[in-house]
Amino acid sequence: MRLSRVTRNTLLVGGFFALDKVAAFIRQVVIARQFGLSEALDAFNVANNVPDLLFALISGGALAMAFIPVLTETLTQHGERQTWQLFSRIANLAFIVTGLLGVLVGVFAHPLVTWELGIAPGFGAEQQRLVITLMRLNLIATVIFSLSGLVMAALQAHQHFLLPAMAPLFYNLGQIFGAVILAPEHGLSLGGITLPALGLGVHGLVYGVILGALLHLGIQVPGLIRYQFRWQAGLGLGSPEVRKVLRLMGPRLLTVLCIQLIFIVRDNLASRLATGAVTALTYGWMIFQVPETLIGTALGTALLPALSEQMARDQSERFRDSIQRAVRVLVALTLPLTVVLGLGMRPVLEMVFGFGKEGTDLLWRVSQAYLLGLLGQCIVEIMVRAFYARQNAWVPLAGAGITLGVYVLAGTQFYRWLGAPGISLADALAFSIEALILTLWLTRTLNHRIMVTPVVLRAVIAAFVGGGAVLFGQSLVQVGNSLWGAIALMGVGGILASPWIWQELRLLIHL
């Protein structure tokens, strides 16, 4: 069986994303067992917001998404030498800008945390001071990521996905080291061996983040060596290629700002709820990100360089066909998965995180609401990349602005009625609306309809079959309420749903 290049890259990226998610779950379970739904863990989760915003704006989202199409075009038309020259100039610029912004955030950390429209106005004074300290430490990792994110983009533009796919896994390994060695007061026992413990508490988690950032960059260095990277000084602001990146980056920066503001609004609202709301939303988002990353992000990551190359070679028919196939696969996979996971995962959450009945119910409801937006978020991953492959950054900006507006309007009302699950429900609603808008916009731009009605009908049937199997199994056997029983029932649900979406499962091989 011969796999297409996009399929091979998708499976490679998805495989390492799966390992990354396993590592992330191990990390979060260790942290949850140590800190529970506590003020310290809420503070740690909130403290990540502004550093994550800087990373996403400078290299993790805004610059990288604008960078890959131009870098691919330069590589296709001008070769390695000019490609690495462009990379050096953009990397120099990103490092300088990130460093300057990091200093500003460190200086103004107090008002950013305590302001009524800031990230944690509902926390007490002591908890806010802890957030400020942790945020300043997190900025060190952000500066490291300003380079590492661009290295990922450069290697992906060369159709090299192995090392960039491994980088998030190594980032999580660094954080696990922080959670297992640096944070605990008493060493964890594994197989009769007691690990050392430095007793740094929640600060140890941040040092683990910094270590993870170093590993994230370090694992990709061999890729730079393989493609004969040569660093060059200068910013090259007069270069046409640099200007093209910056023209795309402007609206992309605003797009990512809208996306990251959602997380800040989320924690702002959650800080006004009972202790544990911030952590429940953070963990619920992490749970939701497992299927979203393995399906939407993996496919989108592998597809962007291919779409960019198709546009650079003026292969419009192949471009449209790639989008059509990707959307069909996403619809077929996400609808049954949403139902099966939403109905069957509660025992897994209870056994893994140990939050108790009340805490588990909260986490389950939050996760269910997030999952309602799984199809929407996966579609957005593809549609945004389709526009960037066409070097159009303005339509994704408009979509992100609408998403932020819907999220704020819905979130500020839903959280009053539903608590934390209302905030995640607002997220699902906002991204689903964005997915619909971007899809309609792209089809109008391409003058080509995306045919999804047949696959939607079959995916809905698959969802009913899979979800029905989970509910039926839970009603028959008590084992459905155990960890392995719940996993088995969800597996059975997925297997029974598969025949209805078999065409798309086969299509996944030939993307």
Side-chain angles (χ1 to χ4, degrees):
M1 183 183 300
R2 184 177 179 84
L3 303 180
S4 70
R5 183 175 67 180
V6 171
T7 298
R8 290 196 305 271
N9 291 336
T10 300
L11 293 176
L12 174 67
V13 172
F16 275 101
F17 277 175
L19 292 175
D20 170 53
K21 292 305 177 184
V22 170
F25 256 94
I26 293 173
R27 180 196 79 217
Q28 294 295 72
V29 168
V30 172
I31 293 173
R33 296 285 180 173
Q34 288 186 53
F35 293 95
L37 294 178
S38 63
E39 291 187 355
L41 189 54
D42 279 353
F44 170 73
N45 289 321
V46 166
N48 292 328
N49 275 331
V50 174
D52 284 351
L53 171 62
L54 287 183
F55 166 64
L57 290 177
I58 303 304
S59 59
L63 192 48
M65 190 74 80
F67 197 23
I68 289 178
V70 181
L71 205 61
T72 301
E73 181 182 69
T74 304
L75 181 62
T76 302
Q77 298 178 359
H78 302 291
E80 292 281 358
R81 180 177 175 276
Q82 286 190 242
T83 299
W84 288 124
Q85 182 183 59
L86 174 61
F87 174 83
S88 295
R89 289 169 171 173
I90 297 299
N92 296 339
L93 181 63
F95 185 79
I96 292 172
V97 173
T98 305
L100 292 175
L101 290 177
V103 170
L104 288 176
V105 170
V107 171
F108 294 102
H110 186 271
L112 284 172
V113 172
T114 59
W115 183 35
E116 186 64 22
L117 297 179
I119 64 173
F123 284 176
E126 184 176 349
Q127 194 175 10
Q128 287 177 337
R129 284 194 293 271
L130 179 59
V131 171
I132 292 168
T133 301
L134 299 178
M135 181 193 297
R136 287 170 172 161
L137 287 172
N138 257 317
L139 292 169
I140 299 172
T142 301
V143 174
I144 299 169
F145 273 129
S146 70
L147 297 177
S148 189
L150 292 181
V151 174
M152 293 182 74
L155 295 180
Q156 288 170 0
H158 282 80
Q159 297 290 338
H160 179 98
F161 289 88
L162 176 60
L163 295 179
M166 293 174 65
L169 174 61
F170 277 76
Y171 174 53
N172 266 309
L173 292 177
Q175 292 187 82
I176 290 173
F177 182 84
V180 172
I181 303 296
L182 303 181
E185 293 185 5
H186 305 288
L188 300 180
S189 295
L190 297 175
I193 300 175
T194 301
L195 300 177
L198 299 187
L200 299 178
V202 74
H203 292 80
L205 300 181
V206 181
Y207 295 132
V209 171
I210 297 171
L211 174 61
L214 289 170
L215 294 175
H216 189 281
L217 174 60
I219 190 60
Q220 297 182 86
V221 171
L224 296 178
I225 296 172
R226 174 184 175 183
Y227 293 104
Q228 300 178 341
F229 166 66
R230 295 291 183 272
W231 177 78
Q232 299 179 40
L235 302 179
L237 296 178
S239 164
E241 290 80 8
V242 172
R243 289 185 175 183
K244 185 178 290 187
V245 172
L246 294 180
R247 281 198 301 271
L248 286 173
M249 183 187 174
R252 177 59 185 171
L253 187 148
L254 295 176
T255 300
V256 175
L257 178 62
C258 290
I259 295 170
Q260 292 300 124
L261 284 176
I262 287 176
F263 295 102
I264 293 177
V265 171
R266 179 195 74 184
D267 288 346
N268 181 299
L269 297 176
S271 73
R272 304 165 192 269
L273 299 172
T275 296
V278 170
T279 297
L281 284 161
T282 301
Y283 276 50
W285 175 253
M286 180 199 71
I287 292 163
F288 164 78
Q289 280 288 288
V290 174
E292 198 279 336
T293 301
L294 296 182
I295 300 172
T297 306
L299 180 56
T301 299
L303 202 57
L304 177 58
L307 293 176
S308 301
E309 183 178 337
Q310 289 164 3
M311 291 306 301
R313 299 183 186 277
D314 198 25
Q315 298 172 334
S316 56
E317 190 65 34
R318 289 188 62 189
F319 181 90
R320 290 194 294 267
D321 188 55
S322 296
I323 299 298
Q324 173 78 44
R325 289 167 177 261
V327 171
R328 285 181 57 190
V329 168
L330 291 181
V331 171
L333 293 179
T334 57
L335 290 183
L337 200 56
T338 295
V339 175
V340 170
L341 287 177
L343 294 176
M345 67 180 172
R346 189 196 181 283
V348 178
L349 303 182
E350 183 174 19
M351 295 297 295
V352 169
F353 295 107
F355 285 154
K357 183 182 185 303
E358 185 176 341
T360 300
D361 286 340
L362 176 62
L363 179 59
W364 184 36
R365 293 195 303 272
V366 165
S367 301
Q368 284 179 313
Y370 271 130
L371 282 169
L372 292 176
L374 178 60
L375 174 60
Q377 291 234 23
C378 288
I379 294 290
V380 168
E381 295 272 12
I382 301 301
M383 293 302 157
V384 165
R385 286 169 171 82
F387 281 106
Y388 274 93
R390 296 168 60 87
Q391 299 189 15
N392 181 338
W394 293 102
V395 173
L397 170 59
I402 292 171
T403 298
L404 177 61
V406 172
Y407 182 80
V408 171
L409 290 175
T412 51
Q413 300 305 313
F414 289 179
Y415 98 101
R416 300 176 190 276
W417 306 329
L418 303 173
I423 299 174
S424 53
L425 181 62
D427 182 279
L429 175 64
F431 277 98
S432 297
I433 291 174
E434 181 185 5
L436 179 61
I437 291 173
L438 292 182
T439 302
L440 293 175
W441 211 321
L442 183 66
T443 55
R444 183 174 180 179
T445 301
L446 298 177
N447 195 25
H448 177 77
R449 290 183 60 192
I450 298 176
M451 303 299 295
V452 295
T453 302
V455 66
V456 167
L457 293 176
R458 287 186 284 104
V460 169
I461 294 173
F464 272 107
V465 171
V470 172
L471 290 177
F472 183 70
Q474 289 174 342
S475 67
L476 285 182
V477 290
Q478 190 63 31
V479 72
N481 294 319
S482 69
L483 174 63
W484 296 111
I487 293 174
L489 282 180
M490 288 188 287
V492 170
I495 292 172
L496 294 178
S498 297
W500 299 96
I501 55 173
W502 187 249
Q503 292 181 37
E504 283 64 39
L505 293 176
R506 293 183 61 187
L507 181 61
L508 182 61
I509 300 173
H510 304 292
L511 283 173

